[in-house]
């Protein structure tokens, strides 16, 4: 039980990888704050996280792209639980458009969620976490290699690795660790809704598809004291897909 007495916020915790992370941390004793902007999925996820063993769950309706909502989520977590130990920056979305059709607003929509959302929670973590705290950023293999039509997403995920480096450097004197995971193809709604996958532009071998629980296991490790000397790491969880030409 690596997270007994600890409090973890999981953004995008109402679906897919975020839900698997929340259930894994709950199973290991954490009190969980699910921060998501999908109320319907939040209700269902709350029951699932309780069933996974969470001593308590706070469902917080939060758009991570809006700093005031992030502040409110952290304030209600501190109000209810009195501490904050883990933040998992997982909320994310993709958009599919050729570069010549993308607008500045398209870019800002993706960057506001996939990059600034993680920044806003990092800022709150730095303001409120005690030494021993941990932040885990859910990036993507798109931070390293990418496919056509997802330029803002790939850029946001690459920048998230840069944020991980900055956060690990500035967090170290505070006793806060920041690390990133880079999932490959993971069996969630986001993967199968992907127009590149549907159209065959991006071909995914079924042996290269992982489970949300595969990512959750690494996130839990990085968030735990087992990783006490792991700082600023970028851990690929892609079944080796990125190594193949
Ligand atoms: P998902 O679509 O199943 O879940 C994403 C969750 O984030 C949803 O519950 C959604 O409501 C929430 N969300 C989206 N925008 C939000 C916002 N502005 N504020 C609050 N919540 C918001 O997707 P999945 O696959 O679980 O993705 C989770 C993370 O993993 C994302 O950051 C994604 O980029 C990353 N990832 C996923 C991969 C995959 O193959 N599924 C591969 C690589 C990275």
């Amino acid at each position: 039980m690596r997270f007994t007495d600890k409090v973890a916020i999981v953004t995008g915790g109402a679906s897919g990888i975020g839900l698997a992370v929340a259930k894994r941390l709950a199973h290991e004793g954490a009190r969980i704050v699910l921060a998501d902007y999908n109320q319907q999925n939040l209700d269902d996820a709350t029951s699932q996280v309780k069933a996974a063993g969470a001593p308590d769950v706070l469902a917080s309706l939060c758009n991570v792209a809006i700093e005031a909502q992030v502040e409110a989520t952290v304030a209600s977590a501190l109000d209810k639980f009195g501490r904050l130990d883990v933040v998992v920056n997982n909320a994310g979305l993709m958009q599919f458009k050729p570069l010549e059709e993308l607008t500045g607003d398209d870019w800002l929509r993706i960057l506001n969620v996939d990059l600034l959302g993680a920044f806003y929670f990092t800022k709150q973590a730095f303001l409120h976490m005690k030494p021993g705290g941990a932040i885990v950023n859910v990036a993507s293999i798109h931070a390293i290699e990418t496919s056509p039509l997802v330029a803002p997403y790939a850029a946001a995920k690459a920048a998230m690795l840069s944020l991980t480096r900055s956060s690990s450097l500035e967090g170290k004197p505070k006793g806060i660790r920041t690390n990133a995971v880079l999932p490959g193809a993971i069996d969630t709604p986001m993967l199968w809704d992907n127009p590149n996958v549907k159209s065959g532009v991006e071909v995914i071998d079924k042996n290269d598809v992982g489970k949300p629980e595969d990512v959750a296991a690494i996130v839990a490790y990085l968030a735990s004291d087992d990783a006490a000397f792991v700082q600023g790491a970028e851990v690929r969880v892609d079944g080796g897909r990125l190594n193949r030409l």
Side-chain angles (χ1 to χ4, degrees):
M1 297 286 269
R2 293 180 292 187
F3 298 99
T4 302
D5 295 332
K6 294 196 172 180
V7 175
I9 297 178
V10 183
T11 75
S15 173
I17 293 170
L19 178 55
V21 167
K23 285 160 80 173
R24 175 69 191 243
L25 298 179
H27 183 65
E28 297 198 46
R31 286 169 285 170
I32 302 291
V33 181
L34 294 171
D36 204 295
Y37 69 179
N38 185 323
Q39 178 71 65
Q40 204 179 334
N41 286 352
L42 257 184
D43 293 341
D44 183 47
T46 301
S47 315
Q48 291 193 47
V49 174
K50 277 187 185 148
D56 210 345
V57 181
L58 173 66
S60 183
L61 194 63
C62 172
N63 182 345
V64 303
I66 300 174
E67 186 169 17
Q69 294 192 16
V70 172
E71 287 171 356
T73 291
V74 172
S76 54
L78 291 169
D79 193 41
K80 184 170 171 69
F81 297 130
R83 56 188 289 163
L84 175 59
D85 302 279
V86 173
V87 168
V88 181
N89 285 312
N90 164 80
L93 51 95
M94 292 181 100
Q95 183 183 22
F96 298 82
K97 262 194 190 179
L99 276 167
E100 66 273 24
E101 289 178 18
L102 279 168
T103 64
D105 282 345
D106 289 329
W107 275 86
L108 290 174
R109 192 170 74 89
I110 299 298
L111 289 170
N112 279 335
V113 177
D114 295 4
L115 178 61
L116 287 178
F119 157 65
Y120 295 142
F121 270 101
T122 300
K123 177 175 169 181
Q124 290 300 309
F126 276 29
L127 288 171
H128 298 290
M129 266 181 183
K130 299 274 186 294
I135 300 167
V136 183
N137 292 328
V138 180
S140 167
I141 56 173
H142 280 273
I144 299 173
E145 306 269 347
T146 192
S147 42
L149 310 181
V150 294
Y153 179 78
K157 293 299 188 179
M160 194 185 217
L161 296 187
S162 181
L163 173 65
T164 303
R165 278 191 288 279
S166 300
S167 173
S168 66
L169 286 173
E170 293 187 36
K172 190 174 167 78
K174 302 177 192 297
I176 299 172
R177 296 179 303 102
T178 307
N179 293 288
V181 293
L182 289 70
I186 305 298
D187 184 4
T188 70
M190 181 184 265
L191 181 67
W192 304 118
D193 291 344
N194 179 327
N196 278 356
V197 173
K198 284 183 178 166
S199 71
V201 167
E202 185 176 346
V203 178
I204 301 176
D205 186 310
K206 68 174 174 12
N207 295 315
D208 286 336
V209 179
K211 301 187 294 298
E213 293 75 18
D214 295 326
V215 182
I218 300 298
V219 171
Y221 163 71
L222 290 171
S224 79
D225 291 343
D226 284 343
F229 197 56
V230 184
Q231 177 71 283
E234 299 168 4
V235 184
R236 267 169 47 203
V237 191
D238 70 342
R241 186 173 174 219
L242 209 56
N243 282 342
R244 207 174 311 120
L245 281 175

